């Protein structure tokens, strides 16, 4: 789904503009909306990545670079973060400089669906809360597969809908009121937060996403549900 169905512009253009417009408040609101859990989830991505001892990592849809900065703790690893939103990258670059990590983390403008890297370039690819914003999900995943080395690992963090019917009821109740409310109080861009909530409900999570990953060239897909299934980490091998 597009952030605004009534505009003719492509989903990609709308997503780029939307994240440009919320880049300054993004980190703060992410923390509020996940009750600070996003930090824990990103640390989990780091632990999974570290266990594969990667030297080259691509963080797709890196945004303000929280995941890239977490991955920079892996000894001798070089991280490239790419994103289509220049304003999100600007916030990220300031954090990289502040942490004195410019030799380890490089942030570049780049589209997940058309990556400028050769086949088999990376040991690990990570994508945090990015895939549901892709214009063409399969194309983005196939590109991730292409740039991964053989046996390389893809780690995706994404919202999901809880399987349990009771938990799902409370999840809908909460997400349909709390996320748009927080967006309307703390941001001028109310529509962006309505889109983020609705796209989370619509995104094919769990088994459906596993089968999409398999169709895009990945094997051994493992799913780790977090926060009662409201978020999941998917780990897949090329
Ligand atoms: C919700 S933010 C996530 C940022 C960061 N990964 C995190 O976990 O905090 C989603 C990011 O995906 C980026 N994005 C969406 N589609 C993209 C694409 N096709 N290629 C690269 N980045 C994309 C957006 O610009 C935005 O910065």
């Amino acid at each position: 789904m597009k952030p605004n169905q009534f505009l003719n512009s492509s989903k990609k253009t709308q997503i780029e503009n939307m994240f440009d417009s919320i880049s300054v408040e993004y980190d703060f609101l992410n923390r509020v909306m996940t009750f600070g859990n996003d930090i824990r989830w990103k640390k989990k991505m780091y632990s999974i990545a570290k266990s594969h001892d990667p030297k080259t990592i691509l963080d797709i849809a890196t945004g303000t670079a929280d995941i890239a900065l977490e991955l920079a703790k892996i000894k001798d690893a070089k991280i490239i973060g790419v994103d289509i939103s220049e304003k999100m990258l600007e916030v990220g670059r300031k954090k990289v400089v502040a942490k004195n990590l410019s030799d380890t983390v490089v942030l570049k403008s780049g589209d997940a669906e058309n990556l400028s890297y050769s086949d088999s370039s990376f040991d690990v690819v990570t994508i945090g809360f990015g895939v549901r914003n892709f214009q063409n999900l399969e194309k983005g995943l196939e590109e991730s597969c292409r740039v991964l080395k053989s046996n390389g690992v893809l780690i995706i963090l994404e919202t999901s809908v809880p399987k349990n019917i009771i938990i799902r009821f409370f999840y809908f109740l909460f997400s349909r009121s709390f996320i748009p409310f927080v967006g309307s109080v703390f941001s001028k861009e109310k529509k962006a937060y309505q889109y983020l909530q609705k796209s989370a409900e619509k995104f094919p999570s769990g088994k459906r996403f596993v089968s999409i990953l398999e169709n895009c060239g990945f094997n051994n897909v493992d799913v780790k549900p977090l926060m009662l299934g409201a978020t999941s980490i998917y780990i897949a091998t090329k």
Side-chain angles (χ1 to χ4, degrees), residues 119-134:
D119 298 358
S120 310
S121 300
F122 297 95
D123 299 311
V124 162
V125 168
T126 51
I127 315 176
F129 299 120
V131 286
R132 80 177 196 273
N133 298 302
F134 289 175

Side-chain angles (χ1 to χ4, degrees), residues 37-210:
N37 281 300
D38 67 302
I39 298 174
R40 219 162 38 83
W41 301 333
K42 288 167 185 173
K43 285 191 190 302
K44 225 180 179 75
M45 289 177 89
Y46 150 78
S47 304
I48 297 165
K50 185 171 178 248
S51 69
H52 295 277
D53 195 23
K55 300 290 172 246
T56 50
I57 307 179
L58 180 65
D59 183 40
I60 295 177
T62 194
T64 59
D66 275 354
I67 295 168
L69 289 168
E70 205 50 56
L71 295 167
K73 294 179 192 160
I74 300 173
K75 196 168 176 286
D76 297 331
K78 295 274 181 219
I79 298 102
I80 297 177
V82 292
D83 202 286
I84 50 171
S85 163
E86 199 46 49
K87 292 260 163 63
M88 291 286 275
L89 290 171
E90 259 173 41
V91 176
R93 284 189 189 112
K94 285 186 190 142
K95 286 153 69 172
V96 171
V97 171
K99 288 188 184 268
N100 213 6
L101 283 169
S102 304
D103 290 340
T104 312
V105 179
V106 177
L107 302 185
K108 295 183 175 180
S109 199
D111 179 1
E113 294 160 43
N114 190 13
L115 293 168
S116 60
Y117 303 101
S118 316
D119 298 358
S120 310
S121 300
F122 297 95
D123 299 311
V124 162
V125 168
T126 51
I127 315 176
F129 299 120
V131 286
R132 80 177 196 273
N133 298 302
F134 289 175
Q135 178 164 293
N136 184 328
L137 174 62
E138 282 79 5
K139 205 163 172 222
L141 296 175
E142 281 162 8
E143 272 293 84
S144 298
C145 193
R146 180 183 69 74
V147 300
L148 266 175
K149 293 179 187 169
S150 170
N151 291 318
V153 177
L154 172 70
I155 306 166
I156 290 180
L157 172 68
E158 192 49 86
T159 55
S160 48
V161 175
K163 275 196 246 163
N164 181 290
I165 194 164
I166 299 164
I167 297 173
R168 193 160 63 222
F169 172 79
F170 286 105
Y171 165 83
F172 284 146
L173 202 67
F174 167 79
S175 71
R176 286 174 189 176
S177 50
F178 183 67
I179 294 174
F181 169 75
V182 169
S184 69
V185 171
F186 293 105
S187 171
K188 292 189 292 317
E189 304 295 331
K190 290 186 189 117
K191 283 228 164 356
Y193 291 89
Q194 285 164 5
Y195 159 79
L196 290 172
Q197 181 271 317
K198 286 197 178 124
S199 61
E201 274 187 28
K202 288 225 152 57
F203 187 72
S205 57
K207 280 192 184 147
R208 284 169 66 207
F209 190 55
V210 170

